[in-house]
Amino acid sequence: MGMKTEEKLIVKGKRLDGRKPDEIREIEMKVGGIPNANGSAQVKFGDTVVIAGVYGPRPLFPKHLQRSDRAIIQCRYNMAPFSVEDRARPGPSRRSIEISKVTRLALEPALFLEDYPETVVDVYIEVLQADGSTRVTGINAASLALADAGVPMNDLVVAVSGGKVDNTIIIDLCGKEDNYSLADMPVAYMPRKKEITLFQMDGGLTSEEVKQIIKNILKSGEKVYEKQKEALKKKYAE
Amino acid sequence: MRADYILKLLENGERIDRRKLDEFREIKVETGIIKKAEGSARVKIGNTDVIVGIKMNLGAPFPDVPDMGVLKTGAEFVPIASPDFDTGPPGEDATELARIVDRGIRESECIDLEKLCIKEGERVWEVYVDIHIINHDGNLIDASALASVAALKTSKMPELKEDKIVRDKLVKKLPVNHVPVAVTVGEISNNFIIDPIKEEEDVLNSRLSIAVTEEGKICAMQKGGNCALSMEEVEKMIDLAVKKSKEIRKFL
C-alpha cells in the first residue's frame, strides 16, 4: 500500500492525467532498435519508457547450468539511474531482483524452450523512464523482443497493471497513482487461452474487487495484444 | 577470418564499410529525451547508441574545495547493448570510459561548479552524469563524451525550497561555460583511423582519446590498447583529433 497524500487522485470521475478509471494510457510499441541483440523492442505506456533486448538461444556457461532437455531463460530488469526523479543507484536492488524473477516466470510458459537444449535465452529489460507500471511495460517489451528474436512461442505475453485509488478501481497506474495507491496489482497473461503467468498484489482489496480488476485487465489487455501484433507486423512488413 | 580481412583492409588504408580512414559514421544527437532527468541526450554514431541522463542531488562538498559543487560520472555497460557485456558491477572498461568522459568535463571546466555551491563547506549541488550504453558498435568514448556535453548543455536545475529539491520545477539552466568534445584516434600499421566500428577496434594496435575545448585546447587524453606509440605518432594523432573535433562539435 502506498503513502498517504492530501491530493485527490480522482476528481469528478477523472484521474490526474485526465483518464477515466478504466482507461489505459497511450501506448507506443516498436520492434527492433538494438542491432546487436537477436531481438529487441521499445514500449511506451504514457511516460513509462522501456526497452528490451534478447540474446539467444546461445550456448550457456558455466556448463552445470545447462539443461540437457531444454533451454533456460535468464532475465534482468534494470532501471537507468536517470529514469526516476531521485537518481537510482546503479546495480541490482532487492526490488529489481524480484522483478527480474517474476518477469522470467511470466515469460517462460509462452516459450518452447525444449527446442533448444543446453542453451540460454537472455532477456534484458532497461527502464529508461519510469512513470508507474514499469514491470508490466517491461514484460510487454520482452515478449515482443522474444518474438523478434524468433524464439518459438505459443502466444505473446500481455501485461497490464490494475489497482485502487480513492476507493475507485483503476487500470494502468501512473507513477503518482502507484505511490499513493490503496492497492496495486500487476498481471501478465497469454491471451489466446487466457492463462495468467504473473500475478502480484499489494494493498487492500475485497475478493470482489480483485475479480473486477482482473476483468478490467483482460479487457485492456486485448488492446495491448493488438498493439503488439501490429508492431510485429510493421517490423516484418518493411 | 573476418577479423583478418578487416585488419588487411586497414593496413591498406581501407575500411570494411568503405569509409575514409578519418571519416565519422552518420552522427545523430537528440536532447531532452528523458522527462525524469534534469538533462538528457541520445547520441547515435552509426550503430553505436548511447543515452546520457543528468540528475542533480544535494550533498556535501569535498573538504579541499568547500565552495564547489560535485561532478560524478558513471557508465554502465548494460548487457542489452552487446553480447560481450556481462551483468554485474562496472568492469574496468566501463570505469575507464566514465573516467575519460569525467576528465574531459572536469578539466575543461565545462560546468561552473562554483555556481553550484549553496552553503560553503556544507551544502552543494551534485551533478550526476550517467552514461547508459544501448548498443555497442565501437567508439563508445566519443559517443559518450558527445552525449554527456549535449545533455549538460541542455540541463535545467530543479528549484530549491527550504533545503529540499522540488523535482517537478526546473527553474534555471545548469551553468555551463565550456564545451569539450572527445575524439579517439586508432592506430594500426602506421595508419590512423577515426570512429572505428567494434570489429575494427578489436584489431587496432592502440588508440588515443583526446578531449578538446571549443578553443582547440586539449583538456584530457588517454592512451588505450596494448601497443606502444612513437612520439611522431602521438603528435600526428593529436593533430588529427583537434581537426576532427571541429567536425563533431557541429552536432552540439
Side-chain angles (χ1 to χ4, degrees):
Chain A
M1 195 156 68
M3 298 172 274
K4 282 216 160 69
T5 174
E6 306 279 297
E7 196 175 356
K8 274 272 190 219
L9 294 170
I10 302 209
V11 181
K12 289 182 189 156
K14 286 265 171 80
R15 293 155 72 176
L16 294 171
D17 50 12
R19 281 186 289 159
K20 285 182 256 161
D22 62 348
E23 196 178 335
I24 46 176
R25 290 174 287 186
E26 204 177 305
I27 299 171
E28 275 179 50
M29 296 187 180
K30 202 174 164 255
V31 177
I34 303 172
N36 281 344
N38 297 105
S40 56
Q42 172 168 301
V43 173
K44 289 189 197 179
F45 271 48
D47 279 342
T48 292
V49 183
V50 178
I51 56 172
V54 168
Y55 286 83
R58 61 182 173 183
L60 174 61
F61 301 102
K63 239 179 161 170
H64 68 85
L65 295 175
Q66 288 181 1
R67 292 277 308 261
S68 59
D69 57 336
R70 63 178 188 93
I72 69 158
I73 166 172
Q74 296 183 149
C75 210
R76 180 183 186 255
Y77 164 102
N78 183 51
M79 293 186 103
F82 45 76
S83 64
V84 278
E85 296 207 323
D86 292 312
R87 178 179 181 268
R89 261 181 64 131
S93 62
R94 285 164 59 87
R95 175 180 174 274
S96 72
I97 291 168
E98 187 209 347
I99 294 178
S100 299
K101 178 183 176 174
V102 295
T103 299
R104 184 184 82 230
L105 298 174
L107 297 168
E108 206 165 341
L111 306 172
F112 290 106
L113 294 172
E114 60 280 10
D115 290 1
Y116 300 94
E118 296 173 4
T119 65
V120 60
V121 177
D122 280 301
V123 178
Y124 300 120
I125 295 169
E126 294 290 324
V127 178
L128 298 179
Q129 191 168 275
D131 188 30
S133 307
T134 58
R135 81 189 66 187
V136 293
T137 312
I139 290 168
N140 290 318
S143 164
L144 285 176
L146 283 161
D148 185 35
V151 179
M153 298 168 82
N154 56 52
D155 199 358
L156 292 166
V157 179
V158 165
V160 179
S161 67
K164 183 180 173 184
V165 291
D166 289 353
N167 269 322
T168 310
I169 295 295
I170 59 166
I171 205 92
D172 183 25
L173 282 67
C174 70
K176 231 177 195 169
E177 290 170 339
D178 195 4
N179 288 344
Y180 302 119
S181 66
L182 300 168
D184 172 14
M185 191 169 116
V187 174
Y189 71 106
M190 296 185 287
R192 268 193 323 119
K193 291 186 180 165
K194 291 202 166 54
E195 291 170 314
I196 288 178
T197 61
L198 171 132
F199 196 71
Q200 293 183 291
M201 194 279 269
D202 60 35
L205 293 173
T206 65
S207 50
E208 279 68 36
E209 286 172 328
V210 170
K211 286 173 196 157
Q212 187 57 49
I213 293 174
I214 294 175
K215 221 181 257 172
N216 294 0
I217 284 174
L218 293 181
K219 197 165 151 247
S220 296
E222 283 171 34
K223 221 172 165 175
V224 178
Y225 194 38
E226 288 311 310
K227 283 265 181 193
Q228 283 180 327
K229 288 190 280 190
E230 219 174 87
L232 280 166
K233 277 183 197 149
K234 200 173 168 212
K235 156 107 192 251
Y236 288 99
E238 276 169 8
Chain B
M1 271 293 286
R2 200 171 145 88
D4 290 341
Y5 178 57
I6 288 170
L7 180 62
K8 198 157 265 168
L9 282 175
L10 286 171
E11 283 170 345
N12 291 323
E14 289 175 66
R15 303 180 80 164
I16 188 136
D17 53 10
R18 296 174 182 279
R19 276 184 294 153
K20 289 187 220 117
L21 290 183
D22 68 345
E23 188 180 341
F24 278 106
R25 288 169 287 178
E26 190 188 2
I27 299 177
K28 285 187 204 151
V29 180
E30 261 181 290
T31 55
I33 51 153
I34 307 286
K35 283 186 189 170
K36 298 275 164 175
E38 276 75 86
S40 57
R42 184 169 193 161
V43 167
K44 290 185 187 175
I45 303 185
N47 273 339
T48 285
D49 188 352
V50 175
I51 296 180
V52 169
I54 310 295
K55 292 298 299 177
M56 300 195 64
N57 263 344
L58 297 174
F62 290 113
D64 53 336
V65 278
D67 61 341
M68 281 173 124
V70 170
L71 166 69
K72 289 183 180 173
T73 309
E76 274 191 276
F77 284 4
V78 283
I80 200 171
S82 166
D84 304 328
F85 291 171
D86 288 324
T87 52
E92 58 177 35
D93 290 341
T95 306
E96 183 195 27
L97 172 83
R99 288 182 56 83
I100 294 173
V101 173
D102 184 275
R103 282 202 292 276
I105 297 168
R106 193 179 299 279
E107 300 307 324
S108 66
E109 298 180 353
C110 167
I111 307 169
D112 193 340
L113 292 175
E114 280 175 31
K115 286 199 180 134
L116 299 184
C117 177
I118 298 161
K119 192 166 183 217
E120 194 176 321
E122 280 180 29
R123 211 120 175 91
V124 297
W125 285 103
E126 295 175 331
V127 181
Y128 284 90
V129 177
D130 282 299
I131 301 162
H132 218 68
I133 313 292
I134 304 297
N135 196 72
H136 173 22
D137 190 21
N139 203 14
L140 290 178
I141 295 173
D142 298 5
S144 303
L146 190 64
S148 299
V149 286
L152 285 168
K153 266 185 72 165
T154 49
S155 289
K156 292 225 174 82
M157 296 173 60
E159 188 181 32
L160 195 60
K161 208 173 172 186
E162 288 153 17
D163 206 38
K164 286 239 167 70
I165 300 177
V166 189
R167 289 279 175 204
D168 45 9
K169 234 175 160 184
L170 299 173
V171 284
K172 59 180 174 190
K173 287 183 80 169
L174 180 76
V176 168
N177 287 341
H178 297 286
V179 183
V181 294
V183 176
T184 300
V185 182
E187 187 272 326
I188 178 91
S189 314
N190 285 317
N191 279 325
F192 300 118
I193 75 162
I194 291 288
D195 187 27
I197 60 170
K198 173 76 172 57
E199 291 177 302
E200 289 174 328
E201 275 183 356
D202 291 343
V203 300
L204 288 179
N205 285 335
S206 54
R207 61 164 160 84
L208 190 59
S209 300
I210 299 160
V212 186
T213 67
E214 62 275 21
E215 298 143 335
K217 278 192 192 150
I218 295 161
C219 53
M221 291 198 276
Q222 178 101 344
K223 181 193 168 296
N226 50 14
C227 293
L229 290 168
S230 70
M231 294 296 171
E232 293 73 34
E233 283 172 327
V234 169
E235 285 172 13
K236 279 184 192 161
M237 288 161 99
I238 291 175
D239 289 344
L240 180 57
V242 172
K243 187 179 131 203
K244 297 305 277 186
S245 72
K246 288 176 193 136
E247 207 174 292
I248 200 169
R249 179 175 298 284
K250 287 185 194 142
F251 292 94
L252 287 169

